[in-house]
Amino acid sequence: MSFEIPDDLRYRETHEWTTTGDTVRFGISDFAQDELGDIVFVELPDVGDTVEQTGEFGVVESIKAVSDIYAPVSGEVTAVNDAVFDKPELVNEDPYGDGWLIEIEVSDEGEFDDLLDADEYEAQIE
Amino acid sequence: MTTGGTPFAPHTDADVEAMLEEIGAGDESELFDIPEEVAFEGKLDIEARDEPAVKSDVSRMFARNDDLTEFLGRGHYSHYVPSLVDHLSMRAEFLTSYTQYQPEITQGFLQVLFEYQSMIVELTGLEVANCSMYDGASALGEAATLASRLRRVSGDTMLVPTHLRDGKQSVLENYCDGAGLVVETYSMDDGAVDVGALEDRMDDDVVAVYVENPTVRGVIQEELGAVGNLADEHDALFVYGTDPVALALLEQPAELGVDVVVGEADTLGLPTSFGMGLGLFATKEEYLRQVPGRLVGASDDDAGNRAYTLTLQTREQHIRKERATSNICTNQAWVALRTAMHAALLGPTGLVDLATDAVENASELSGRIDELSGFRAPVHDRHHFREFLVRSDQPAAAIAGDLETEGYAVHVVDDHLLQVCVTDTNEAAMDDLVAAFEEVAR
């Protein structure tokens, strides 16, 4: 089974993705949503909260597991995708699009160096 | 440590040896890590006796109990439990030492728990009820930790009334201590919440306000909507302690802005059982993911049949360990079953009748004691449910002692305060109690 792994994103080993720049979006990878199965609940921080690269920023719950989700880079939350609260299945259906989770203003762009690129992430999940 | 095999731990020495060898341990003691300071090395000194001897000892012990007619309440209430509840709940399908949760083989039990939850939902007006906590005190503790989890801003104070049972207060403090919360009291005005004082006390440190209705002194509180508003203004939860019989008559907590209802649901289904309880816990659907304890849900199976199962278990510690909503993974399922049976047998009308009697009996009995010289009742100028305070000119302990000699048990609350509780199980003895009060006042 091959998974979608967009080239323009960076990935955390724990299967979260982020866009690059000074304001970025986070989500979970196609591989992660497939592993979890049907997602039924998503817990996210509020706008204005701070997230740390070393810490979890929310929870994704599926019919078979509960997983903490970790921030690829640190920063302050500027937007939250409210749509996934009512329709958690968006994360399954469109993990890189409508199923995005939060947007943050990055506090240290150097942190991107700690992340995997698409090829490295692909090698990890193979 | 049991070796050599018993009916309860059927391992022979050879079995134990084989198991130890398999895991690479030399001795059973290596499997345990018990700190020396708590390890008990002595003999337990328990004398083994046969069953008839134990039975006769216990009977002799029971015979030492005074045979008193009890007018006791303050948290534990006796309502007549129809014998049908015994007959049904003792059926072998229900009476097991293990709560039956496996949906493939236990639809009946799960349905009962679902019915119990549905009754609690109907009585409270809130959308979600779990299928019980240990007792009212642990339910209150869970409400406090729920409040601290839900609150986005800091704060660490749980406000409780000055009139609160000691046992409940101490369990709550235990819960709060671990969760980094502190328990503080607000004052009462003539037996009910002093809204003005509460308003002065409220600040952004308060995570929850707890109000009991009826109170431990039997007072029915009115105008509690004001407390709901105060709690809302300070982003605190409004926690409300009550019981299913009282709920049949009192305004629905949901109408007052209550966030969590807790209490003892065992006022139905159990006789007064010396501390055994059934923790009532109901809350709003928006807090569903934070509810402690077990929830039974209804769905359809693939053949379209109604099917029941435990649901939303990701809140629980067997799934989420340290992120669980509660460290309690069990409940009082069999007691909840009896409570549901009792409530179903009474039906809505029977339940309202029982609650109405609780008000009328308390009013009648307090009125008659009030007419006697040397007593004033009720002490609080309010409506009462089941129980009320009596002020006595003579020391309360002496009066209670004399009543005991006459064959009646009442509570001593304070130097000159007694408390009397009347329900359907002792209402027939009201005339005799009044006569006894008259007797002891002389």
Side-chain angles (χ1 to χ4, degrees):
Chain A
M1 158 127 206
S2 73
F3 295 102
E4 198 186 337
I5 307 172
D7 282 338
D8 56 338
L9 303 175
R10 294 286 175 278
Y11 300 86
R12 208 176 183 282
E13 287 170 5
T14 47
H15 312 289
E16 297 82 2
W17 56 260
T18 178
T19 54
T20 52
D22 44 22
T23 299
V24 299
R25 276 187 177 185
F26 295 167
I28 65 168
S29 71
D30 188 21
F31 170 81
Q33 70 75 23
D34 185 72
E35 282 288 300
L36 283 165
D38 291 347
I39 290 167
V40 294
F41 179 65
V42 180
E43 198 178 306
L44 298 173
D46 289 335
V47 171
D49 286 356
T50 305
V51 299
E52 299 287 340
Q53 187 180 37
T54 49
E56 71 260 7
F57 71 90
V59 177
V60 174
E61 185 177 318
S62 73
I63 51 174
K64 59 180 185 185
V66 184
S67 296
D68 290 333
I69 39 180
Y70 295 87
V73 289
S74 310
E76 185 180 314
V77 181
T78 50
V80 173
N81 185 6
D82 293 337
V84 297
F85 296 138
D86 295 329
K87 290 188 72 183
E89 62 271 26
L90 285 173
V91 181
N92 292 115
E93 292 162 5
D94 192 6
Y96 300 110
D98 292 344
W100 65 279
L101 300 176
I102 62 170
E103 188 176 85
I104 71 157
E105 194 174 324
V106 179
S107 55
D108 175 5
E109 294 202 26
E111 288 183 346
F112 286 109
D113 298 341
D114 306 329
L115 302 172
L116 309 173
D117 64 22
D119 291 341
E120 290 167 324
Y121 180 64
E122 185 169 19
Q124 184 197 305
I125 63 175
E126 261 174 6
Chain B
M1 225 65 73
T2 308
T3 55
T6 77
F8 309 107
H11 305 312
T12 63
D13 287 345
D15 291 337
V16 172
E17 206 57 47
M19 287 191 276
L20 289 172
E21 196 175 330
E22 183 64 32
I23 58 173
D27 184 87
E28 265 180 79
S29 63
E30 291 174 29
L31 306 181
F32 300 93
D33 182 17
I34 300 167
E36 260 179 57
E37 63 268 29
V38 299
F40 178 71
E41 291 295 345
K43 276 197 160 22
L44 284 170
D45 206 22
I46 296 172
E47 193 188 332
R49 269 175 286 179
D50 59 23
E51 190 173 321
V54 171
K55 269 185 148 169
S56 108
D57 279 356
V58 172
S59 301
R60 263 202 303 277
M61 202 185 295
F62 281 166
R64 284 162 47 198
N65 281 333
D66 293 324
D67 186 18
L68 300 173
T69 303
E70 293 176 5
F71 282 82
L72 303 173
R74 289 183 70 82
H76 287 287
Y77 304 103
S78 166
H79 288 293
Y80 181 75
V81 182
S83 62
L84 191 55
V85 172
D86 285 346
H87 286 287
L88 289 174
S89 65
M90 298 279 189
R91 285 184 62 104
E93 299 92 329
F94 290 134
L95 193 63
T96 73
S97 55
Y98 227 112
T99 315
Q100 315 161 71
Y101 290 134
Q102 198 187 334
E104 296 87 342
I105 56 169
T106 183
Q107 284 298 304
F109 207 113
L110 289 168
Q111 180 175 351
V112 169
L113 294 176
F114 185 82
E115 301 289 355
Y116 163 83
Q117 290 173 180
S118 304
M119 288 172 186
I120 300 299
V121 160
E122 205 171 330
L123 286 166
T124 58
L126 295 167
E127 296 97 350
V128 184
N130 72 14
C131 61
S132 78
M133 315 291 327
Y134 284 132
D135 59 8
S138 62
L140 174 58
E142 295 285 353
T145 57
L146 174 92
S148 79
R149 284 197 300 275
L150 285 174
R151 206 157 191 262
R152 305 286 322 196
V153 286
S154 63
D156 62 2
T157 309
M158 171 94 186
L159 284 184
V160 301
T162 44
H163 301 164
L164 187 64
R165 239 179 64 227
D166 292 347
K168 219 176 247 185
Q169 175 113 12
S170 102
V171 171
L172 175 64
E173 283 172 356
N174 235 345
Y175 264 90
C176 285
D177 186 49
L181 298 169
V182 289
V183 181
E184 288 184 15
T185 54
Y186 60 82
S187 53
M188 310 283 276
D189 171 31
D190 196 16
V193 51
D194 182 340
V195 177
L198 182 63
E199 187 163 8
D200 293 343
R201 173 60 192 83
M202 286 296 283
D203 57 30
D204 292 342
D205 249 355
V206 177
V207 296
V209 182
Y210 178 58
V211 172
E212 286 190 341
N213 203 22
T215 69
V216 66
R217 297 178 163 192
V219 168
I220 295 177
Q221 307 200 58
E222 298 171 53
E223 317 280 323
L224 287 175
V227 178
N229 295 337
L230 273 180
D232 268 354
E233 283 163 29
H234 292 272
D235 187 31
L237 286 197
F238 181 8
V239 182
Y240 185 93
T242 185
D243 75 80
V245 183
L247 283 171
L249 199 64
L250 301 178
E251 191 173 5
Q252 276 197 328
E255 301 291 318
L256 304 167
V258 167
D259 295 293
V260 188
V261 173
V262 296
E264 290 287 3
D266 71 347
T267 48
L268 296 172
L270 275 192
T272 41
S273 46
F274 313 104
M276 172 97 167
L278 176 65
L280 168 67
F281 195 101
T283 188
K284 295 175 170 174
E285 189 163 2
E286 63 189 279
Y287 308 143
L288 181 61
R289 297 268 165 182
Q290 290 294 338
V291 171
R294 320 227 79 174
L295 294 166
V296 178
S299 183
D300 292 328
D301 69 6
D302 61 359
N305 302 311
R306 188 83 186 263
Y308 301 92
T309 180
L310 287 186
T311 188
L312 294 159
Q313 290 185 71
T314 47
R315 299 165 296 104
E316 299 186 68
Q317 65 172 8
H318 60 288
I319 310 276
R320 283 188 88 180
K321 279 176 104 171
E322 72 283 355
R323 299 282 303 270
T325 51
S326 165
N327 67 332
I328 299 181
C329 242
T330 184
N331 65 41
Q332 301 275 62
W334 188 73
V335 184
L337 166 130
R338 288 180 57 101
T339 296
M341 285 174 173
H342 190 174
L345 281 168
L346 286 170
T349 318
L351 201 52
V352 171
D353 288 348
L354 189 63
T356 308
D357 285 349
V359 175
E360 288 174 355
N361 281 335
S363 170
E364 183 192 339
L365 185 56
S366 59
R368 291 176 61 188
I369 292 173
D370 192 49
E371 285 168 12
L372 305 172
S373 79
F375 299 110
R376 204 165 63 72
V379 169
H380 298 301
D381 183 21
R382 300 188 183 271
H383 294 291
H384 286 73
F385 196 85
R386 296 193 192 101
E387 52 196 332
F388 53 89
L389 288 184
V390 178
R391 185 175 299 285
S392 152
D393 291 348
Q394 297 174 50
I399 293 287
D402 292 348
L403 283 171
E404 206 167 300
T405 309
E406 299 285 326
Y408 300 94
V410 300
H411 295 281
V412 177
V413 175
D414 212 334
D415 292 351
H416 288 273
L417 291 179
L418 297 156
Q419 188 164 334
V420 177
C421 177
V422 56
T423 69
D424 52 310
T425 60
N426 62 3
E427 64 185 0
M430 275 202 286
D431 291 351
D432 300 338
L433 181 75
V434 173
F437 260 98
E438 193 164 20
E439 185 63 35
V440 302
R442 285 187 188 137

